[in-house]
Amino acid sequence: MSHTPLIRLAHTSQMGEDELDGIRQLLDEAFDGDFAEDDFEHALGGMHALAYGPGGELLAHGSVVQRRVLHAGRALRCGYVEAVAVRPGVRRQGLGGAVMAELEQVIARAYVLGALSASDEGAALYESRGWTVWGGRIGALSPDGPVRLAEEEGTTYVWVPKGGALPDAAEGLWFDWRDGDVL
């Protein structure tokens, strides 16, 4: 990329319908139409990092929303990263890293830890930024009680702000429940 993208950090409440529609279109394009309405809903209600090109076109997006996660008998405030996407045609140019840098600053200022569920394609980005695969059990607190999410083990990454300590992997992470994909 021959120019530095303009990065805008904004809460969902600060965005108009056109900007939200633009994010939705980017996500549909970046995920080849495989980004469900529940997935989009999960990305709302928190802070968004948006990378714009010189002509004002939206090139990349990611958001961080608050979730509660139980660990070793404590409810932790977790910044959960959602909907990280880069428009096809401008990938591998640092836009994903620029978006993640903004989201990590939000996590560092507001949360005990960060977490995300990575696709195979996205894992290298997160690992390069110091995110680590959670080595313990993953579960959720469903309306019917705790449910282990074994399929999320090995794809759930955590990040702790500088000065923080990584939670003990001998204890599971139990996330709050939500519709659609829980993680």
Side-chain angles (χ1 to χ4, degrees):
M1 176 165 280
S2 59
H3 68 281
T4 303
L6 170 67
I7 305 289
R8 177 172 183 244
L9 190 62
H11 190 273
T12 303
S13 66
Q14 296 171 306
M15 292 191 243
E17 190 173 324
D18 288 346
E19 195 165 26
L20 291 170
D21 288 345
I23 293 168
R24 181 70 177 134
Q25 290 170 6
L26 168 69
L27 294 168
D28 284 338
E29 185 179 344
F31 289 97
D32 294 324
D34 190 26
F35 200 83
E37 201 56 40
D38 281 335
D39 296 328
F40 186 59
E41 177 68 25
H42 296 167
L44 302 177
M47 296 299 293
H48 300 258
L50 303 114
Y52 290 94
E57 68 277 15
L58 180 60
L59 302 177
H61 169 270
S63 64
V64 62
V65 297
Q66 181 171 306
R67 298 200 57 192
R68 287 290 179 175
V69 60
L70 290 181
H71 176 267
R74 288 187 57 220
L76 304 177
R77 197 175 57 255
C78 176
Y80 200 84
V81 174
E82 295 283 0
V84 175
V86 177
R87 189 172 301 284
V90 294
R91 292 181 177 158
R92 308 281 183 246
Q93 298 180 31
L95 293 168
V99 163
M100 285 302 297
E102 292 294 324
L103 298 178
E104 289 161 358
Q105 286 183 32
V106 171
I107 293 167
R109 291 188 309 261
Y111 299 101
V112 175
L113 79 151
L116 59 83
S117 182
S119 65
D120 291 340
E121 298 81 17
L125 169 65
Y126 307 124
E127 290 171 1
S128 74
R129 301 195 55 78
W131 289 72
T132 57
V133 174
W134 176 251
R137 288 173 301 158
I138 298 288
L141 302 173
S142 82
D144 298 322
V147 176
R148 185 169 177 195
L149 301 172
E151 69 279 3
E152 298 294 341
E153 294 169 4
T155 62
T156 299
Y157 285 69
V158 294
W159 181 83
V160 179
K162 188 175 182 177
L166 192 64
D168 181 4
E171 299 283 341
L173 292 179
W174 297 87
F175 289 87
D176 54 355
W177 189 257
R178 61 189 187 175
D179 293 334
D181 291 332
V182 178
L183 294 188

